[in-house]
Amino acid sequence: MNIDTNGEIPIFIQIAEQLEDSIFTGVFQEEEKIPSTNEISALFNINPHTVLKGMNMLVDQGIIYKKRGLGMYVKEGAVQKIRTKRQGEFLTKYIEPLVKEANKLSISKKNLLELIERGYDNGGN
Amino acid sequence: MAGIEINGVTKSFEDIKALDNVTVTFEPEKIYGFLGRNGAGKSTLINIIANRLFADSGSIMIDGRPSAENMSIHDKIFCMSEADLYDDSMRIRDIFKWTGRFYDNFDIDKALEISKKFELDTGKRFKTLSKGYQSIFKLTVALSLNVPYLIFDEPVLGLDANHREMFYDIMLREYAQSPRTIIIATHLIEEVSGMIEDVVLIDSGKILLCEEVEKLMEKSYCVAGLASQVDDYCRGKEVIGTDALGALKQAYILGEREKIVGSESLQFSQVNLQKLFIKLTEKGGESI
Amino acid sequence: MRKLKAAIAYECLTSFKHIWIFYGITFSIVGIILIIIGISTGDSEVRGTISLEVNSMVYVGILGVLGFKEDFKMLMQNGFTRKYIFIATLSLFAFISSILSLIDTIVSRVLHEAMLYDSVFGGLYGFDQPFIMNWLILFLFYLSVCCIMYLGVLTVNRLGKRKSLVIGLGLLLILALLLPAIFRYVLDNSARDTTVELLLKSLGILPGGRVALVNPCILFIALIGVFGLASYLVIRRTELKI
């Protein structure tokens, strides 16, 4: 994880995004404990309230949950949930800016589709 | 009411007005960034809170009681200051011992443990320590003391990057363990911007703003583009500063971000605390 | 109450170590002088006039000054109010004065018996005064010196160096020139005699070689009261110079 405390994105959103990413990539497995608010707070020099706010975003989305007295745990099915969410965001987050940029550069729809095909051919990652 | 309430405090030295009708409240269990340029009045206000100086007028109430010369109040508050007020011929561990006798909530074991982490030699006398280690010693005392109000005046002066990191780490752990009001007066904003919940900004002895950092971030933004378009956009808005580069212009604005007709080609972005601070204090003096 | 006790303990214990240094120096100087005189005159029966009391007075005076500078800062840092600091400082003065006066009384009496030394106290009031009165008067005297010095240093701190220098010189001028001048030219013979008599009386030296030890007690207590109160009033408004 890497938090930019002087960046453009609010810190609590960065916390939520990065925890989510760690869960999605398997750093934290389902039904496993994630680091506590205080640990994250001390490690990245971030106010514990801010960290908690970020975590609560994930709680609201049903990605993590609180075990009383034990800490925050990754919910079963969290990875699938994140995947569904990200698939839902894919259009607005990636495709729309792509099309916008393509239009700026006068790349036609046909050309763009071709380029996407080539992207797949080049390894797909 | 709990907290530190500062009401209309004015303070002059000779003919210089160091504080001009300062009114601000520090609420319980929050970490504050008390920001201002050198000579803005940070230390003066802190010294009045800590009963070291007297206000010319106005009052300071701590937990609802007047703070000046009030022994029961000053049990609750500790102020780590830039100035060295300790008996400098005394050994560090002896100062720890005395601090333990002076304050009910001083944890000497914790102090020794923190000293070890920083590799502070407690057998040394205060005056034989380097400037950096004198600061470390003072921070150690503050971090080992569980009082509801903890004030740091330029805490990391003379500390190297590792020691700063350690200080912030320990401070946040202590805070998480037993929440209290922590006021960090500093002009090094980048380092503390993630830690502070609220920011109090002082300039030329006046409070410019007192606001939750997140809210402040939400309501401030930067707009960039062709100078003429930026100027059009800024009309009627609260512009706190601008940067110009040829025909390009950047304006820093406080208020709701709104897209208006003709602003499609303008670029909008966040402003970070550091930039905001610089822009606000550049202008100086004017309250918002 | 706990905090006040801690402050008093701090003041007393941290100043205590200096006493032994002070006596170490004083007695070694006295010893060396006695030996030198002894060798050079070949006379074993020397009557020194090295006044312990004067040395101690200088010491408590310095202590009064230092007592302010260092401890005020330290106690302020530790959340003490000026009222507490004042009480702690006065306790320190009382503590040191009582110890110094006790030692000085014992030593001067022993040395007097050994025919080596005459104390200032003995010279003024005679050598057959009760031990307790000797100690009490020295104690009150040292304590009043402390209070006078304390007010002095507080005033200097308050006014700044330049102003205090002017005022100090002014006071000195009055003491050194004006008072003698008044004494000599303004007062007539009988008034002069009454003044001198009054001064001596307040010190407990009555006409006809009689001695009233109650008088100096009252005088010193009055001095302690006046200068102590004045110090308190000044310190209550004293700011920490940083």
Side-chain angles (χ1 to χ4, degrees):
Chain A
M1 279 169 80
N2 183 26
I3 308 288
D4 180 7
T5 53
N6 294 293
E8 296 228 334
I9 307 161
I11 296 164
F12 71 97
I13 291 175
Q14 290 186 53
I15 299 269
E17 278 177 351
Q18 299 212 20
L19 277 174
E20 187 191 278
D21 212 53
S22 300
I23 292 166
F24 191 63
T25 55
V27 176
F28 306 119
Q29 300 281 332
E30 292 184 3
E31 289 304 328
E32 206 180 75
K33 192 177 186 288
I34 63 166
S36 73
T37 319
N38 298 346
E39 281 171 297
I40 296 175
S41 156
L43 189 61
F44 297 106
N45 295 344
I46 292 164
N47 192 296
H49 295 147
T50 314
V51 180
L52 194 64
K53 199 170 168 188
M55 285 198 178
N56 281 336
M57 275 179 72
L58 297 183
V59 172
D60 292 344
Q61 293 170 25
I63 292 167
I64 59 175
Y65 68 104
K66 191 177 184 174
K67 272 194 195 174
R68 252 180 200 292
L70 291 172
M72 294 288 192
Y73 282 74
V74 181
K75 217 170 187 175
E76 208 190 311
V79 175
Q80 186 52 45
K81 208 168 250 168
I82 296 168
R83 185 176 295 124
T84 315
K85 187 185 97 176
R86 291 194 174 184
Q87 282 169 350
E89 288 169 354
F90 194 73
L91 179 70
T92 49
K93 222 169 163 180
Y94 295 95
I95 303 300
E96 282 174 5
L98 183 79
V99 172
K100 206 171 170 186
E101 182 71 8
N103 283 339
K104 253 197 218 169
L105 299 172
S106 312
I107 296 173
S108 71
K109 184 177 170 185
K110 197 174 149 241
N111 267 342
L112 183 60
L113 290 172
E114 264 174 36
L115 282 170
I116 290 171
E117 295 262 359
R118 263 170 63 189
Y120 272 101
D121 292 343
N122 282 356
N125 45 28
Chain B
M1 195 193 124
I4 304 177
E5 294 167 84
I6 294 151
N7 219 319
V9 164
T10 296
K11 174 78 182 170
S12 300
F13 296 108
E14 310 282 315
D15 47 357
I16 302 155
K17 213 166 210 181
L19 294 176
D20 187 4
N21 197 17
V22 166
T23 299
V24 64
T25 299
F26 295 98
E27 288 166 25
E29 304 190 356
K30 269 189 175 181
I31 302 180
Y32 281 87
F34 185 28
L35 311 178
R37 302 176 66 176
N38 285 327
K42 298 191 296 281
S43 292
T44 305
L45 185 61
I46 287 173
N47 282 323
I48 294 175
I49 296 173
N51 193 33
R52 294 170 188 167
L53 298 177
F54 294 112
D56 294 341
S57 60
S59 72
I60 294 184
M61 307 284 271
I62 296 177
D63 290 349
R65 281 189 281 178
S67 81
E69 282 291 275
N70 188 337
M71 201 64 204
S72 62
I73 291 296
H74 291 281
D75 238 359
K76 298 184 185 179
I77 181 167
F78 185 83
C79 172
M80 177 261 175
S81 60
E82 221 186 310
D84 296 324
L85 303 179
Y86 286 96
D87 180 348
D88 60 6
S89 64
M90 207 176 255
R91 286 180 205 284
I92 297 307
R93 59 166 168 268
D94 290 331
I95 305 184
F96 284 159
K97 269 183 216 150
W98 280 112
T99 311
R101 290 180 75 164
F102 294 149
Y103 282 94
D104 287 325
N105 299 314
F106 183 73
D107 185 342
I108 192 157
D109 293 329
K110 192 178 276 172
L112 293 172
E113 192 188 306
I114 295 173
S115 304
K116 209 177 248 169
K117 272 191 197 159
F118 279 109
E119 294 172 313
L120 166 66
D121 182 356
T122 56
K124 276 195 167 178
R125 295 176 195 282
F126 183 87
K127 64 178 161 205
T128 65
L129 294 176
S130 67
K131 259 274 159 267
Y133 267 102
Q134 290 182 349
S135 292
I136 287 174
F137 155 72
K138 289 186 282 184
L139 293 175
T140 305
V141 173
L143 291 170
S144 314
L145 198 56
N146 192 359
V147 288
Y149 301 100
L150 207 46
I151 305 174
F152 293 100
D153 191 1
E154 297 290 357
V156 295
L157 226 61
L159 266 64
D160 64 26
N162 292 43
H163 283 151
R164 285 173 190 219
E165 197 65 33
M166 271 168 72
F167 162 63
Y168 295 134
D169 185 294
I170 299 170
M171 188 192 78
L172 285 168
R173 277 177 207 281
E174 290 301 322
Y175 173 73
Q177 224 167 56
S178 48
R180 60 196 94 164
T181 304
I182 298 179
I183 301 172
I184 309 171
T186 183
H187 57 275
L188 301 169
I189 298 152
E190 268 173 326
E191 284 188 24
V192 298
S193 60
M195 277 175 272
I196 59 182
E197 201 172 339
D198 281 30
V199 58
V200 174
L201 186 56
I202 188 169
D203 194 48
S204 314
K206 288 187 179 125
I207 300 290
L208 284 191
L209 61 87
C210 172
E211 178 101 57
E212 222 171 277
V213 175
E214 242 163 51
K215 283 202 184 122
L216 186 63
M217 295 291 98
E218 264 170 35
K219 72 172 200 187
S220 59
Y221 62 101
C222 171
V223 57
L226 280 171
S228 57
Q229 289 180 349
V230 171
D231 287 341
D232 281 345
Y233 180 84
C234 289
R235 207 154 292 139
K237 294 193 169 56
E238 189 173 351
V239 180
I240 54 170
T242 54
D243 286 328
L245 186 69
L248 288 176
K249 193 170 182 181
Q250 281 202 89
Y252 303 90
I253 299 170
L254 278 188
E256 282 295 316
R257 204 185 288 206
E258 50 176 340
K259 302 230 168 175
I260 52 171
V261 187
S263 72
E264 290 83 4
S265 57
L266 293 174
Q267 294 218 329
F268 291 85
S269 61
Q270 263 300 325
V271 191
N272 69 27
L273 198 56
Q274 168 97 342
K275 196 79 188 172
L276 206 61
F277 166 81
I278 290 170
K279 288 298 157 196
L280 280 167
T281 51
E282 236 172 33
K283 188 184 173 193
E286 268 170 69
S287 182
I288 45 175
Chain C
M1 222 28 225
R2 201 190 76 101
K3 284 202 85 160
L4 184 60
K5 259 195 226 157
I8 293 171
Y10 173 78
E11 287 279 2
C12 294
L13 289 178
T14 53
S15 65
F16 202 61
K17 55 179 185 231
H18 302 303
I19 289 193
W20 306 120
I21 300 169
F22 164 72
Y23 273 112
I25 293 170
T26 306
F27 285 128
S28 50
I29 290 173
V30 171
I32 288 166
I33 291 173
L34 283 180
I35 289 166
I36 290 171
I37 295 172
I39 291 169
S40 56
T41 60
D43 190 351
S44 64
E45 209 179 287
V46 198
R47 283 203 162 237
T49 44
I50 308 123
S51 7
L52 270 176
E53 288 105 324
V54 176
N55 285 341
S56 298
M57 187 186 90
V58 172
Y59 176 73
V60 292
I62 292 168
L63 201 76
V65 175
L66 291 181
F68 170 70
K69 277 273 172 224
E70 283 300 314
D71 298 345
F72 186 69
K73 279 197 307 187
M74 176 79 174
L75 292 174
M76 270 271 133
Q77 166 70 67
N78 283 289
F80 286 95
T81 57
R82 290 156 184 80
K83 190 169 149 191
Y84 273 56
I85 294 172
F86 176 77
I87 296 171
T89 309
L90 272 213
S91 307
L92 161 73
F93 291 159
F95 175 75
I96 294 291
S97 299
S98 65
I99 289 180
L100 283 180
S101 52
L102 189 67
I103 294 174
D104 290 352
T105 307
I106 293 170
V107 168
S108 65
R109 286 188 168 235
V110 169
L111 287 181
H112 179 73
E113 289 305 312
M115 308 286 274
L116 280 170
Y117 167 75
D118 293 343
S119 67
V120 175
F121 176 86
L124 281 175
Y125 303 113
F127 294 94
D128 47 0
Q129 294 295 349
F131 181 89
I132 183 82
M133 287 314 286
N134 189 344
W135 170 76
L136 182 67
I137 285 172
L138 273 188
F139 166 69
L140 290 172
F141 172 62
Y142 291 163
L143 193 54
S144 37
V145 171
C146 281
C147 289
I148 291 168
M149 292 305 286
Y150 195 42
L151 178 65
V153 72
L154 282 171
T155 313
V156 169
N157 176 73
R158 187 72 189 271
L159 297 178
K161 287 212 175 80
R162 185 172 296 173
K163 267 192 208 163
S164 354
L165 201 69
V166 172
I167 292 174
L169 282 176
L171 277 176
L172 208 70
L173 223 63
I174 292 173
L175 281 176
L177 294 175
L178 207 59
L179 282 184
I182 289 174
F183 204 71
R184 183 168 287 240
Y185 301 114
V186 180
L187 301 179
D188 59 26
N189 264 346
S190 69
R192 215 175 295 162
D193 287 346
T194 357
T195 316
V196 171
E197 202 174 298
L198 208 70
L199 270 174
L200 287 174
K201 211 172 177 180
S202 70
L203 281 170
I205 299 160
L206 306 181
R210 285 176 302 126
V211 165
L213 289 182
V214 182
N215 293 8
C217 285
I218 293 169
L219 173 70
F220 292 140
I221 287 172
L223 283 177
I224 293 165
V226 169
F227 284 92
L229 184 70
S231 300
Y232 179 72
L233 292 177
V234 176
I235 201 173
R236 279 310 290 251
R237 295 303 306 164
T238 294
E239 295 189 325
L240 188 63
K241 296 245 164 93
I242 301 165

